[in-house]
Amino acid sequence: MEYVYAALILNETGAEINEENLTEVLESAGADVEESRVKALVAALEDVDINEAVEQAAAVPAAGGAAGGAAAGGEAEEADEGGEDEAEEAEAEEEDEDEDEGDGGEGLGQLFG
């Protein structure tokens, strides 16, 4: 997450978002810098208008419960268009995940004896 924050700081100050500047901001903040992550972020942001992306993110209304998870995953527009079916599917998936977490590794015990 600190990599994204560093990119936002560079954007806000008008500095170019490149590997050198991003690394400098991260090191100044005391973060352990991974060169591969810096390169990946710079490449991912190459054709992105960060100001526009921030405005769009701010315009999306906050949703509660399971719908909030769908919105965070970039599916907010689909949830609005698809109605309640997708929200119900997201809730069902979360319930399935909760049930899986309660197994306590019993399945592994059966698999490996």
Side-chain angles (χ1 to χ4, degrees):
M1 197 60 149
E2 61 268 6
Y3 291 78
V4 174
Y5 290 142
L8 288 171
I9 289 170
L10 290 171
N11 182 66
E12 187 65 29
T13 60
E16 181 181 356
I17 299 175
N18 58 35
E19 293 174 31
E20 181 181 338
N21 290 346
L22 198 58
T23 300
E24 187 176 314
V25 170
L26 289 165
E27 287 176 347
S28 296
D32 293 328
V33 180
E34 294 179 30
E35 187 176 330
S36 60
R37 290 180 69 187
V38 170
K39 286 183 179 189
L41 181 61
V42 170
L45 294 175
E46 191 171 286
D47 295 325
V48 174
D49 182 354
I50 295 176
N51 293 326
E52 182 179 328
V54 169
E55 287 175 15
Q56 287 178 352
V60 175
E75 301 172 11
E77 291 178 19
E78 292 177 14
D80 288 343
E81 294 172 7
E84 294 179 13
D85 291 337
E86 290 182 11
E88 290 173 5
E89 288 177 19
E91 287 179 27
E93 287 177 13
E94 285 185 13
E95 288 174 10
D96 289 343
E97 290 174 7
D98 290 343
E99 290 173 7
D100 292 342
E101 291 173 5
D103 291 342
E106 293 172 4
L108 290 175
Q110 292 175 353
L111 182 62
F112 295 110

